[in-house]
């Protein structure tokens, strides 16, 4: 995807935190997969949280008192411009609730578990406490149901998609007859800062040397790619040599020109694009490359 097209798409998906795009229509308009639209939308939502979360955290007590006075949860979310589950976390951390992270996690996973103990820091009579508790349970459930980025269900789906694509990469490597070590195998042998697959024998993909491959079940946008390069890819290159990154949901084309030690793809290369050297039988107890002692 060209950088200018990505900019247009990201602009369309930069919605207020309590608004959700019609992903199928956006995908049709820009002629991209729905998964690409969903990934970019989530990236834009996460960027907004980074910009506003600290502001809401500082004002959490004020929001909590307004909620206690009867303000609607989603109206407060819209004012704060935070996704419902993130706003709810800030609310429950305030001095009116003083819930710790394990307690908040339990409430998000099971809204019905809210009980009188969660109101212990509020000066409410019995009738008001019952009303507040019923309202809290209802609003937590609504936040969980509506939040497409930060709900427990969204977190679980994101994790599952990442794991599924790692398995997909491993299966494609095996089907192509390319010998490799998985990330788990590398760590079990004492390596750290490991990619998803370290090739036992380097290959060439479209003329680029590839010693390792990393799977990213996301869209490769400029911001996240810079972070990945700094936190992961540069370390892999320093330890293992040039490698390949699979951004399964696409990437900004111009990123390919920024680092000659990385080749970016959005799918596993075809057999015609891969050149393999003869594979040696390497014993399991032998590893190639630097080891962290």
């Amino acid at each position: 995807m060209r950088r200018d097209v990505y900019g247009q798409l990201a602009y369309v998906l930069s919605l207020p935190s309590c608004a959700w795009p019609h992903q199928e229509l956006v995908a049709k308009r820009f002629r991209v997969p729905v998964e690409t639209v969903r990934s970019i939308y989530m990236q834009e939502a996460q960027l907004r949280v980074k910009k506003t979360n600290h502001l809401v955290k500082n004002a959490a007590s004020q929001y909590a008192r307004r909620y206690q006075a009867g303000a609607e949860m989603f109206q407060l979310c819209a004012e704060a411009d935070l996704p419902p589950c993130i706003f709810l976390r800030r609310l429950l951390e305030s001095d009116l609730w003083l819930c710790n992270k394990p307690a908040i996690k339990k409430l998000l996973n099971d809204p019905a578990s809210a009980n009188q103990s969660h109101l212990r820091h509020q000066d409410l009579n019995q009738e008001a406490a019952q009303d507040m508790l019923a309202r809290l349970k209802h609003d937590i459930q609504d936040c969980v149901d509506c939040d497409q980025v930060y709900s427990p269900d969204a977190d679980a789906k994101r994790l599952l998609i990442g794991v599924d694509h790692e398995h997909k990469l491993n299966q494609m490597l095996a089907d192509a007859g390319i010998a490799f070590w998985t990330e788990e195998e590398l760590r079990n042998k004492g390596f750290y800062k490991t990619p998803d697959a370290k090739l036992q024998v380097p290959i060439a993909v479209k003329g680029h040397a590839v010693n390792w491959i990393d799977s990213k079940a996301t869209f490769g946008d400029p911001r996240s790619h810079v972070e990945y390069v700094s936190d992961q890819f540069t370390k892999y290159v320093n330890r293992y040599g040039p490698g390949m990154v699979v951004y399964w949901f696409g990437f900004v084309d111009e990123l390919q020109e920024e680092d000659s030690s990385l080749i970016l793809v959005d799918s596993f290369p075809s057999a015609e694009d891969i050149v393999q050297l003869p594979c040696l039988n390497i014993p399991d107890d032998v590893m190639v490359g630097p080891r962290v002692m």
Side-chain angles (χ1 to χ4, degrees), residues 42 46 148-150 153-163:
M42 294 179 71
Q46 290 162 358
Q148 298 183 15
V149 182
Y150 287 100
D153 185 53
D155 288 340
K157 287 181 179 177
R158 190 158 48 243
L159 177 61
L160 181 61
I161 289 172
V163 172

Side-chain angles (χ1 to χ4, degrees), residues 186-203:
L186 289 171
R187 288 182 176 176
N188 288 339
K189 292 177 180 294
F191 285 65
Y192 102 119
K193 290 294 182 184
T194 58
D196 291 316
K198 168 68 173 71
L199 307 188
Q200 294 185 9
V201 177
I203 63 174

Side-chain angles (χ1 to χ4, degrees), residues 63-84:
Y63 282 114
R65 283 171 172 77
R66 289 178 60 192
Y67 177 74
Q68 186 187 50
E72 294 292 332
M73 177 71 76
F74 282 102
Q75 178 61 39
L76 296 174
C77 289
E79 290 182 21
D81 197 18
L82 275 185

Side-chain angles (χ1 to χ4, degrees), residues 228-248:
Y228 285 138
V229 168
S230 175
D231 298 339
Q232 299 178 18
F233 302 155
T234 297
K235 295 178 175 62
Y236 301 161
V237 170
N238 290 339
R239 287 173 170 82
Y240 311 118
M244 181 172 76
V245 179
V246 186
Y247 281 117
W248 293 103

Side-chain angles (χ1 to χ4, degrees), residues 28 65 97 127 139 155 193 206 210 239 284 286:
K28 184 176 181 180
R65 283 171 172 77
W97 304 91
E127 182 179 356
D139 286 344
D155 288 340
K193 290 294 182 184
K206 297 181 179 180
V210 173
R239 287 173 170 82
D284 290 339
V286 176

